[in-house]
Amino acid sequence: HLSARQAADRSESLVVPMTTSPSTTQPALATTASRLERFRTRSLGAFPSGERGRTMGCRDVVAGSTRRRARVLAAASIKPLDPKYDRPPDLKIAVVGAGPCGLATALALRHHGFGDVTVFDRFPEIRPALGAAFNLNGGAAVLDKLGLLPEFRAMNNPMRLVRSRRVDASGGPLDRLEIMTVDVPKIIADDPVARDALVSATDGEPLCGTVMRADLLRALADALPPESLMLGREVTGCVTRPASNGPGDTAGAGRSVAALTFRDYPDGKETTEFFDLVVGADGIRGVVRESTFGKSPPKYGGIRIIFGCTAEGDPEAVNARPESEHGEAHQWFGDGCYALVYTAGGEGFKQHNVAVCIADETETDENAEWRVNGGGSRRRSGGTSKGKSDPAAARAACMEALERYAMPRDVVAVAERCERFFDVGVHYHDPMATWSDPRGCVTLAGDSAHAMPPFLGQGANQSLQDAWTLGEKLGKVRLAGRGAAVDAIAGVDYYGTVAEALAEYEETRKGPTSAIMLSSRVIGFVETGR
C-alpha cells in the first residue's frame, strides 16, 4: 500500500482514502459532500489536508484514470442525468440464506430501491426456537435505519451492565476477584463516536440490547413481502457468464448474469434460474462462496461452546436470575473455561442464556444450523462421532464443565433451568482478498465472507452492517451514468457499474470485519486459557 505522498511521487493516479471511525464496529459512511471532495482531490492530484484513515491498495487504482481525469477537467459543462435513469437499475437479485444476514440484506436492498429481490433457503420455514441470544448494538442501529426500531424495542432486553470476575477452582485469593464493571449506557453517552452511532435518532435511547435469534428472524421475515421468501429451495451451485439474452437471461448486451442451480423439495428436482446479482449469505460453509471462489474449509479454533437457554414463557425459569440482574451480563473467567450468563427478550417474555467455553482439541462442527442438544456434532476432519447426538449429552457436558471449573452457583442455577442446549465448535475464515466476482454478478455477506469466533459478540452485528452497506452502495448505481468521477464532479454521488459499487462495499467492510475476526481469536485464547 502506498501512502498519499508516495503515490503522489510515483504516479498521477492517486489511491483513494477511506475514512473509518475509531470504533471498528461502526465504520463511518462517507457523505455525498465528503465523497465529492475525495473525487475532486483525486482529480487534482492531492489529498484533503488532515484526513484520517487508510488508503486502498494499489490494485484499486484504475488504469486510465489519468485520461478520465483529463476528460473531467476539460468538460466545460456536464448535462444532468436523464430523470428516467436517475434511479437504481432494475436488477433481479437473489439472496441465498434466510438467516439474519440474508433477511436484513433483502430488506436493505428493498429500502434502497430494488423491488425484485428474492431470498432462498433450503429449510421450508423460518424455524422457531432456533439458536441462543446475542447482543445487538451496531446491528440495532441498522434495524433503526430499516424502520424496525419498534420491533427491536419490543424484543430486546436493554444491556445495562457487564461484570467480569475471576474463578479460582482451588479457592485461592483470586477467587471471585472483580476484574471490571462496564456501565453500558454511560460508555455510550460519554463517547462521542458511540453516542453518534448507538443512540437512536428516532427515540433518543441507546441502541444496545440482547435478543433471541429466533425473535430477530421472525421480525426480519415479517417485514418482507411473503412472495420475496422462497423457502424449501436449496441452492446447489452458482456460476457466472456473459449474458446470452436468451430465455431467462435478464442482463442487457455486454453484461453478465449469475446462474443458480436449485434442488427443490420435496421432489428433489433440479432447476436453474438466472439473476443479475447473487448475494451469498448462506453461512460459513456457503455454496455461493465455494462455487465462486473454490473450496476453503473454515478453520477450527480449538474451542467448544455449549449454549443453553431457558424456555419462553416458563415462569420458574425466569426466576433463575434475580430481576435486578436481568439487564446485566456476568462473565466468569476460570483456568481453561469461561462462562457467561445473560438475559434476552422483551418485557414479559425474558429468556436466560448460559454460554460455557472450553478448550477442546477434538474438532466439533460449527453447528451452523443450531441443532438442539448437539444433534450429531462430529469431527469434520476424520469423520468420527463426538457422541453428542444423545439429547442429554450437551446438557451433561455443560453441567460437568461448570462443576469441574468451580463456576458459581448463580451460573449453575441458570444452566439447570435451560430447556435446550446447542453444542458449537468455534470455526472461522481467514480474511479473503475479495468478496465479489470480477463480473459484478456475485458478492458475499456475513459469515460467508468473514466468519469469526463469537468472543466479541459481533457476528450478527457485522452481518447486519454488511447488509445495510451493500444496499446503500448498490442503491447509488446508475447504469446510464457517466462514471463515478464524472458524476462526483457534477455534484452527484453515483457508481457507474454494479462492480464499482461492490468494490466500494468491500473496501468499507473488509477492514472492520478483519480486525474484529483477529481480535476475537485472541480473546478466545485468553478466555479459555489457551
Side-chain angles (χ1 to χ4, degrees):
H1 293 284
L2 299 180
S3 68
R5 177 53 54 197
Q6 288 171 323
D9 290 341
R10 299 186 191 185
S11 172
E12 291 180 86
S13 302
L14 297 181
V15 293
V16 184
M18 184 194 75
T19 304
T20 55
S21 73
S23 170
T24 57
T25 63
Q26 199 69 23
L29 302 181
T31 62
T32 300
S34 65
R35 189 172 169 77
L36 173 59
E37 178 64 18
R38 294 216 313 271
F39 276 114
R40 279 180 173 154
T41 54
R42 179 170 66 174
S43 299
L44 297 173
F47 281 94
S49 61
E51 181 166 358
R52 300 177 57 202
R54 59 187 180 86
T55 59
M56 293 182 186
C58 297
R59 65 180 178 79
D60 298 303
V61 179
V62 179
S65 60
T66 303
R67 293 192 298 273
R68 176 195 288 178
R69 182 164 60 252
R71 186 181 71 245
V72 170
L73 294 176
S77 98
I78 300 177
K79 294 180 181 180
L81 194 63
D82 189 324
K84 70 180 180 180
Y85 297 120
D86 194 11
R87 57 183 174 80
D90 294 326
L91 300 180
K92 182 181 179 183
I93 303 176
V95 179
V96 182
C101 182
L103 296 174
T105 297
L107 287 170
L109 289 167
R110 293 179 64 84
H111 179 90
H112 286 94
F114 297 95
D116 191 355
V117 182
T118 307
V119 180
F120 297 94
D121 198 278
R122 67 191 183 92
F123 291 102
E125 62 177 345
I126 303 295
R127 292 171 293 167
L130 181 69
F134 43 68
N135 184 266
L136 289 181
N137 34 74
V142 171
L143 296 180
D144 192 4
K145 293 175 183 177
L146 291 173
L148 296 178
L149 183 64
E151 288 79 358
F152 172 70
R153 296 296 186 211
M155 66 183 170
N156 99 104
N157 182 48
M159 179 71 73
R160 295 186 293 102
L161 203 70
V162 178
R163 294 186 66 190
S164 302
R165 285 167 285 184
R166 179 79 166 86
V167 174
D168 187 344
S170 65
L174 298 182
D175 193 34
R176 305 303 190 265
L177 174 69
E178 191 92 22
I179 300 172
M180 67 176 181
T181 299
V182 178
D183 185 328
V184 177
K186 187 176 187 304
I187 288 286
I188 294 174
D190 289 350
D191 184 276
V193 175
R195 186 168 63 246
D196 180 63
L198 298 179
V199 173
S200 170
T202 306
D203 63 9
E205 294 296 319
L207 292 164
C208 185
T210 308
V211 302
M212 295 300 298
R213 188 178 192 274
D215 292 340
L216 177 62
L217 286 176
R218 280 193 292 262
L220 294 170
D222 289 347
L224 286 168
E227 63 271 17
S228 68
L229 287 173
M230 296 295 291
L231 305 179
R233 298 199 71 188
E234 180 182 5
V235 173
T236 58
C238 176
V239 297
T240 64
R241 61 176 178 78
S244 64
N245 296 318
D249 276 9
T250 59
R255 293 177 58 204
S256 300
V257 292
L260 285 182
T261 303
F262 297 92
R263 181 181 294 118
D264 297 325
Y265 294 99
D267 57 11
K269 181 181 178 182
E270 286 205 341
T271 57
T272 299
E273 192 170 345
F274 297 95
F275 298 88
D276 298 304
L277 178 65
V278 170
V279 181
D282 47 344
I284 190 169
R285 296 183 187 270
V287 171
V288 176
R289 174 186 171 119
E290 182 174 314
S291 297
T292 306
F293 300 101
K295 289 187 177 182
S296 56
K299 297 181 178 180
Y300 180 54
I303 299 173
R304 171 185 170 200
I305 306 177
I306 305 172
F307 291 95
C309 54
T310 61
E312 184 177 345
D314 181 348
E316 293 187 21
V318 171
N319 296 328
R321 296 191 79 192
E323 188 173 350
S324 61
E325 296 181 356
H326 285 186
E328 301 179 3
H330 290 182
Q331 299 177 314
W332 294 92
F333 294 87
D335 294 320
C337 181
Y338 161 81
L340 173 68
V341 176
Y342 56 114
T343 301
E347 203 61 44
F349 55 97
K350 303 294 185 188
Q351 291 179 258
H352 303 311
N353 291 252
V354 62
V356 180
C357 307
I358 314 163
D360 189 344
E361 294 299 333
T362 305
E363 183 175 352
T364 303
D365 80 10
E366 67 276 3
N367 195 2
E369 300 162 6
W370 288 98
R371 298 180 303 272
V372 174
N373 299 321
S377 295
R378 61 192 180 279
R379 185 182 176 113
R380 287 255 179 200
S381 55
T384 57
S385 171
K386 285 272 289 180
K388 301 187 189 67
S389 57
D390 181 354
R395 173 189 290 273
C398 177
M399 302 308 297
E400 190 274 333
L402 294 178
E403 179 180 359
R404 185 188 345 147
Y405 293 101
M407 290 296 170
R409 177 61 198 168
D410 54 347
V411 179
V412 176
V414 173
E416 288 175 341
R417 294 302 313 178
C418 286
E419 173 201 37
R420 59 186 189 271
F421 289 83
F422 306 92
D423 204 343
V424 176
V426 173
H427 289 71
Y428 62 91
H429 280 303
D430 287 330
M432 298 179 68
T434 183
W435 298 353
S436 307
D437 79 303
R439 301 181 190 272
C441 295
V442 178
T443 194
L444 304 177
D447 282 353
S448 291
H450 50 72
M452 59 185 66
F455 301 108
L456 287 175
Q458 281 298 308
N461 286 288
Q462 296 305 310
S463 293
L464 294 183
Q465 290 182 69
D466 286 352
W468 176 263
T469 304
L470 179 60
E472 182 184 55
K473 300 304 182 186
L474 288 171
K476 293 179 180 178
V477 173
R478 301 292 185 269
L479 294 183
R482 299 137 303 191
V486 180
D487 288 333
I489 294 297
V492 185
D493 190 15
Y494 292 152
Y495 300 109
T497 65
V498 171
E500 187 179 344
L502 294 180
E504 186 73 2
Y505 155 66
E506 289 189 38
E507 289 297 340
T508 303
R509 296 297 304 142
K510 275 185 192 170
T513 54
S514 296
I516 291 170
M517 189 279 290
L518 294 172
S519 296
S520 295
R521 289 183 59 194
V522 173
I523 294 296
F525 295 148
V526 172
E527 289 181 349
T528 58
R530 299 186 75 246

